[in-house]
Amino acid sequence: MQKKPFVTLSQVQEMARIYPTPFHLYDEKGIRENARRLYQAFAWNKGFKEYFAVKATPTPRLLQILKEEGCGVDCSSLTELMLSEACGFNGQEIMFSSNDTPAEDFQLAEKLHGTINLDDITHIEFLEKAIGHIPERICCRYNPGGMFTLGESEEGFQVMDNPGDAKYGMTRAQMTDAFRILQQKGAKEFGIHAFLASNTISNEYYPALARILFQTAVELKAETGAHITFINLSGGVGIPYRPEQPENNIAAIGEGVRKAYEKILVPAGMDDVALYTELGRYMLGPYGCLVTKAIHEKHTYKEYIGVDACAANLMRPAIYGAYHHITVLGKEDAPCDHLYDVTGSLCENCDKFAVDRMLPQINTGDYLVIHDTGAHGFSMGYNYNGKLRSAEILLREDGSAEMIRRAETPEDYFATLDITGIFNR
Ligand SMILES: *Cc1c(COP(=O)(O)O)cnc(C)c1O
């Protein structure tokens, strides 16, 4: 499949007159349409709700758009909770799925009446101490251990991950114990949650996870009599970063989950269980891109294009070797007959957005779109080498551009130091 940017050269030229590159750009239309497809796919489940994983893109304007489409938020830190509160989320719009949690984080989650998802059995006592009681509505995170695999899909992409090696969640036996202890301490409404594999390109991941969680819910109800009111499938539905990868079909995913629900939960008399998701990547990944300009070309042992963005704006290629597709704007249909490394300016050799990538000939001044940065893109940015975080721009449905986060300035970077004098020279 050809990967097409959601923005054109002339739109970027217009924007760059006001907002200098690099910047992250988001596609409001794409975000809304995708959120509606998700809700459509799970419309059969009364109470379905997507809790957007705030860590993926903690940008208020985007959280507001998702809120308008019916989404809540999934937080895992104090500041994510603060941001969500500021954006108007509260009560059952907030899921708090943290781990290794500080007491003050639990305190704020409780103050906002969010739903607390306990990562460990020892957190029961810790939470009780932190907030003075156990909430009536509570969730426990399950880790079935071992390897999680799905057979190879037709396209040859396999889903495999290693929950047994992951720090998250409770063992099966601990789940039963936790439910019993929580009941004794006053909990009345239970949920279960698990995250078994990340960035899955398979319509089978959610249904397979659902079967595991639904079966576990039936067992836990039989063992403890707990009233299970929701099951949280968490995140992990992926996006095709590479042009040759297939896209997930969310309608087929919803249908697969429905089949499991009818086969396992309904016969157990659990036909009122609400389903939740905590998708991050799937909600925003494809609807954001990093727009950057070629500012240098270098011809040594390889051909390099130097751009004005760097790994501080998008870390995934540098730390995971992750593939992000690149389009040279205005040359969408030109032949990819040049072999380049596309680099940022960090003093780190891993600061490359692409290695040995066939692209059209790139000239200084060309604008490049680095695709699929809408989730885990800007948010993973950092300040290494004193690099400043870029602005974030929203391409609105009417085609206009709105700055939704300004770029950092040197003053921001130095704000935690007492060296204000240097700005007065
Ligand atoms: C990161 C995370 C998510 C979102 O994951 P995606 O891969 O972006 O869908 C959801 N839930 C929890 C608890 C997470 O840590």
Side-chain angles (χ1 to χ4, degrees):
M1 193 185 64
Q2 204 199 341
K3 282 180 88 75
K4 279 198 179 142
F6 57 79
V7 67
T8 63
L9 175 60
S10 63
Q11 282 176 307
V12 161
Q13 283 168 334
E14 189 99 333
M15 287 177 207
R17 271 203 280 274
I18 310 169
Y19 312 113
T21 54
F23 53 77
H24 282 269
L25 182 69
Y26 301 91
D27 173 21
E28 178 177 11
K29 185 165 181 285
I31 293 170
R32 288 189 187 277
E33 287 173 356
N34 184 61
R36 287 170 198 172
R37 280 193 296 271
L38 172 71
Y39 271 88
Q40 190 57 41
F42 285 91
W44 56 268
N45 179 253
K46 198 155 74 75
F48 172 80
K49 196 168 183 73
E50 150 70 6
Y51 291 87
F52 175 69
V54 173
K55 73 164 191 266
T57 323
T59 306
R61 186 70 171 83
L62 302 177
L63 297 182
Q64 183 195 341
I65 290 171
L66 291 170
K67 190 170 195 289
E68 286 167 9
E69 297 300 334
C71 301
V73 279
D74 162 38
C75 301
S76 55
S77 71
L78 184 77
T79 50
E80 287 176 4
L81 285 166
M82 292 169 72
L83 185 69
S84 299
E85 182 184 17
C87 292
F89 293 93
N90 64 55
Q92 290 197 7
E93 294 169 330
I94 300 176
M95 186 64 60
F96 188 58
S97 294
S98 62
N99 69 94
D100 188 20
T101 314
E104 61 175 341
D105 297 26
F106 276 140
Q107 286 157 1
L108 183 55
E110 168 61 11
K111 188 176 151 235
L112 301 176
H113 307 293
T115 301
I116 291 173
N117 181 15
L118 293 174
D119 181 64
D120 190 49
I121 190 162
T122 63
H123 290 188
I124 299 173
E125 236 183 276
F126 186 90
L127 174 67
E128 194 176 26
K129 232 168 146 183
I131 67 172
H133 66 282
I134 290 296
E136 285 197 359
R137 178 181 156 90
I138 194 114
C139 185
C140 290
R141 183 167 184 167
Y142 176 41
N143 182 336
M147 287 295 285
F148 178 81
T149 50
L150 291 175
E152 210 157 295
S153 71
E154 279 167 47
E155 295 84 1
F157 291 99
Q158 210 199 1
V159 170
M160 191 167 78
D161 224 315
N162 192 352
D165 207 28
K167 65 173 178 170
Y168 309 106
M170 308 185 201
T171 67
R172 181 61 190 80
Q174 286 173 337
M175 289 292 284
T176 305
D177 290 345
F179 268 45
R180 291 208 170 107
I181 297 166
L182 287 163
Q183 279 177 307
Q184 281 159 16
K185 292 181 183 293
K188 298 206 157 46
E189 240 191 82
F190 286 80
I192 58 176
H193 166 284
F195 192 150
L196 301 187
S198 193
N199 192 30
T200 58
I201 300 286
S202 164
N203 296 335
E204 282 309 308
Y205 170 64
Y206 258 6
L209 169 66
R211 286 193 289 274
I212 293 171
L213 283 176
F214 294 170
Q215 190 55 46
T216 306
V218 171
E219 291 170 17
L220 283 168
K221 186 190 170 194
E223 289 165 5
T224 68
H227 185 204
I228 296 168
T229 59
F230 63 92
I231 290 174
N232 185 340
L233 300 173
S234 189
V237 176
I239 58 168
Y241 285 99
R242 293 173 181 271
E244 68 271 20
Q245 283 178 308
E247 237 181 301
N248 282 322
N249 178 340
I250 200 67
I253 290 173
E255 184 56 20
V257 174
R258 189 183 66 79
K259 284 201 179 108
Y261 192 98
E262 287 185 352
K263 196 165 161 210
I264 302 170
L265 287 183
V266 173
M270 300 174 73
D271 58 357
D272 58 348
V273 172
L275 294 185
Y276 300 156
T277 56
E278 290 176 343
L279 297 169
R281 196 184 312 273
Y282 186 77
M283 299 308 290
L284 292 193
Y287 313 107
C289 63
L290 175 58
V291 180
T292 183
K293 189 160 76 173
I295 56 173
H296 291 285
E297 53 183 284
K298 173 166 177 166
H299 316 277
T300 53
Y301 307 103
K302 295 182 90 171
E303 294 296 299
Y304 295 100
I305 295 295
V307 296
D308 59 4
C310 67
N313 305 111
L314 177 68
M315 252 178 131
R316 298 184 75 258
I319 60 171
Y320 308 131
Y323 181 96
H324 279 265
H325 198 65
I326 295 178
T327 299
V328 184
L329 289 179
K331 300 182 180 175
E332 286 83 348
D333 299 315
C336 292
D337 52 4
H338 283 63
L339 186 67
Y340 289 119
D341 280 14
V342 178
T343 80
S345 54
L346 293 187
C347 301
E348 276 277 1
N349 197 44
C350 66
D351 184 14
K352 293 177 178 176
F353 292 113
V355 176
D356 296 331
R357 183 82 57 93
M358 293 304 293
L359 289 164
Q361 177 171 3
I362 298 174
N363 302 109
T364 302
D366 279 350
Y367 290 107
L368 277 61
V369 159
I370 303 178
H371 290 246
D372 300 316
T373 68
H376 312 293
F378 177 93
S379 62
M380 285 176 98
Y382 61 132
N383 282 123
Y384 193 55
N385 256 181
K387 293 292 177 181
L388 304 175
R389 289 185 179 79
S390 77
E392 294 183 290
I393 313 286
L394 179 67
L395 178 61
R396 296 213 302 226
E397 286 185 291
D398 66 7
S400 64
E402 174 189 346
M403 185 169 68
I404 56 175
R405 184 193 301 266
R406 69 161 171 81
E408 276 182 347
T409 64
E411 286 84 346
D412 296 320
Y413 177 66
F414 294 127
T416 51
L417 303 170
D418 186 15
I419 54 164
T420 44
I422 67 165
F423 293 112
N424 302 328
R425 274 186 297 192

